[in-house]
Amino acid sequence: MVLTKKVKIIAFVLAFLTLAAIVVLAVTSGVASAAVVKVGSSGTVVKNIQTKLKRWGYYTGAVDGIYGAKTKSAVQYFQRKNGLTADGIVGNATAKAMGITLSGGSSSTGTTTKPSNVSNSDLYLLSCCIYGEARGESYTGKVAVAAVILNRVASSKFPNSISGVIYQTGAFTCVSDGQINLGTNDECTRAAQDAMNGWDPSGGALYYFNPATATSKWIWSRPQIVTIGKHIFCS
């Protein structure tokens, strides 16, 4: 009888430990699933994705933190526009292009910080420069161009204002050929604002160039950081 009682106790303990292990696995698998965000996911990360996509015009649904069919379609739209695999799943590459981290925060790759003296005229000028330099690029490419300008503002090697950087002699083609005066559009304005808010897809670059048209040997000598669309960004 004593032996039978001990066996029952052992069986009970084993059953309890098994149940506890199942709970732990369920929790950890939920954390691991944050490595990608897809249909069926929910929470703060999904809200961040929906908020950004809505602001950029890719998403028209509710910001409810639930990754459904509408969110997937918006992600696929964003992926196609930015040269990514349009699978509707937000993995590392798509998250980086959106400027978010899959743990729920906003990613701010690089050194861009919003200048303390930014005015509406600075935002407009930055937006016009993006339009003149990168209107044919993806949204990420537009933000990257804006980030380069802001990185220069923050660098002691360049003028310490947006207008000073943009109008520095020979700095930007759109100033030299007059395209800076073409105006801008909503997407370029949003890209300028995102760069001012700290998104830097260029990785802290101070220069960029189009390898198909660049004639300067010096620019090719710069350490390259990342290629986005037709532009190579470098330090």
Side-chain angles (χ1 to χ4, degrees):
M1 292 292 292
V2 174
L3 183 59
T4 301
K5 188 175 181 179
K6 286 184 177 179
V7 170
K8 286 183 178 179
I9 292 172
I10 292 171
F12 175 78
V13 171
L14 289 174
F16 177 80
L17 292 174
T18 301
L19 180 62
I22 291 172
V23 171
V24 170
L25 285 172
V27 172
T28 55
S29 65
V31 173
S33 68
V36 296
V37 182
K38 56 186 178 180
V39 172
S41 298
S42 62
T44 303
V45 178
V46 178
K47 281 188 176 182
N48 288 344
I49 292 168
Q50 291 171 330
T51 298
K52 290 221 169 192
L53 293 176
K54 196 176 186 76
R55 189 193 333 161
W56 298 335
Y58 294 100
Y59 179 64
T60 58
V63 180
D64 54 10
I66 300 172
Y67 201 116
K70 280 189 175 181
T71 303
K72 179 181 179 180
S73 295
V75 169
Q76 289 175 312
Y77 183 18
F78 174 85
Q79 289 170 327
R80 286 193 296 271
K81 291 285 286 184
N82 288 276
L84 300 163
T85 301
D87 55 8
I89 298 172
V90 180
N92 290 331
T94 299
K96 183 178 180 181
M98 289 182 176
I100 65 170
T101 61
L102 294 179
S103 59
S106 292
S107 173
S108 180
T109 304
T111 58
T112 297
T113 55
K114 183 177 178 179
S116 59
N117 59 343
V118 165
S119 64
N120 288 335
S121 60
D122 286 327
L123 177 64
Y124 179 72
L125 179 60
L126 181 59
S127 177
C128 287
C129 192
I130 296 169
Y131 186 82
E133 290 282 305
R135 60 183 176 274
E137 294 295 304
S138 67
Y139 188 81
T140 303
K142 291 179 176 70
V143 178
V145 166
V148 167
I149 294 168
L150 297 182
N151 287 338
R152 289 188 180 188
V153 173
S155 171
S156 60
K157 298 178 181 179
F158 297 90
N160 62 358
S161 68
I162 290 175
S163 60
V165 165
I166 290 175
Y167 286 111
Q168 187 175 26
T169 303
F172 295 97
T173 302
C174 71
V175 174
S176 300
D177 63 15
Q179 291 191 65
I180 189 73
N181 300 314
L182 291 177
T184 186
N185 59 23
D186 288 342
E187 185 174 62
C188 290
T189 300
R190 292 197 303 271
Q193 188 65 67
D194 271 339
M196 286 180 172
N197 289 341
W199 182 14
D200 184 359
S202 79
L206 292 173
Y207 306 94
Y208 64 88
F209 66 98
N210 185 335
T213 58
T215 57
S216 168
K217 292 182 179 179
W218 176 84
I219 196 64
W220 280 100
S221 72
R222 304 304 303 170
Q224 296 180 12
I225 300 173
V226 65
T227 299
I228 304 174
K230 294 181 180 180
H231 289 143
I232 295 176
F233 293 83
C234 44
S235 59

